[in-house]
Amino acid sequence: QVRLVESGGGSVQPGGSLRLSCAAPGFSLDHYTIGWFRQAPGKEREGVSCISSGDDGTYYANSVKGRFTVSRDNGKGTVSLHMNELKPEDTGVYYCATDVDGSSCLSADYNSWGQGTQVTVSA
């Protein structure tokens, strides 16, 4: 439904930081739930973080709590995932997704996905 584009991936050393961005060219995501997911080769896709439509409530996987922060970029219509204290196990392709119907993080039925951006954390 909505074309999403992730950017900001790259290669960093353990303990480093990256900022990922989720954008919909020509469209604002300010009022949409945005979920972040990641997938490593041979592994199932897992949820990482989410920011809800409406109240902007945020959610994080236990593995990234205290290290990752999801936020809306006011005035830009985009959503960022700030990743700090990166670990090798954070390596994977990161995707953002949205529920076009505007459901919250806890009830979202993600129906629009980006192409993914690679994050590699290694020494």
Side-chain angles (χ1 to χ4, degrees):
Q1 299 274 3
V2 178
R3 179 165 59 92
L4 301 180
V5 179
E6 304 94 339
S7 62
S11 297
V12 297
Q13 295 182 348
S17 299
L18 284 173
R19 177 187 176 183
L20 306 184
S21 179
C22 179
F27 189 82
S28 173
L29 299 177
D30 286 350
H31 301 102
Y32 287 84
T33 288
I34 299 296
W36 286 95
F37 302 81
R38 67 187 181 191
Q39 186 169 25
K43 302 293 184 179
E44 294 184 355
R45 185 180 62 203
E46 63 175 337
V48 175
S49 184
C50 183
I51 184 165
S52 284
S53 62
D55 67 356
D56 282 344
T58 57
Y59 301 86
Y60 301 93
N62 288 335
S63 59
V64 306
K65 284 183 178 179
R67 300 188 297 117
F68 290 12
T69 302
V70 64
S71 62
R72 299 189 187 278
D73 306 314
N74 292 335
K76 298 182 179 180
T78 60
V79 173
S80 291
L81 182 68
H82 301 263
M83 307 187 297
N84 301 313
E85 303 173 32
L86 284 163
K87 304 175 180 180
E89 50 263 45
D90 294 319
T91 294
V93 178
Y94 282 68
Y95 302 87
C96 64
T98 189
D99 183 336
V100 177
D101 293 332
S103 296
S104 67
C105 288
L106 297 180
S107 60
D109 181 15
Y110 297 103
N111 49 28
S112 186
W113 295 76
Q115 83 291 341
T117 185
Q118 177 71 44
V119 171
T120 302
V121 185
S122 64

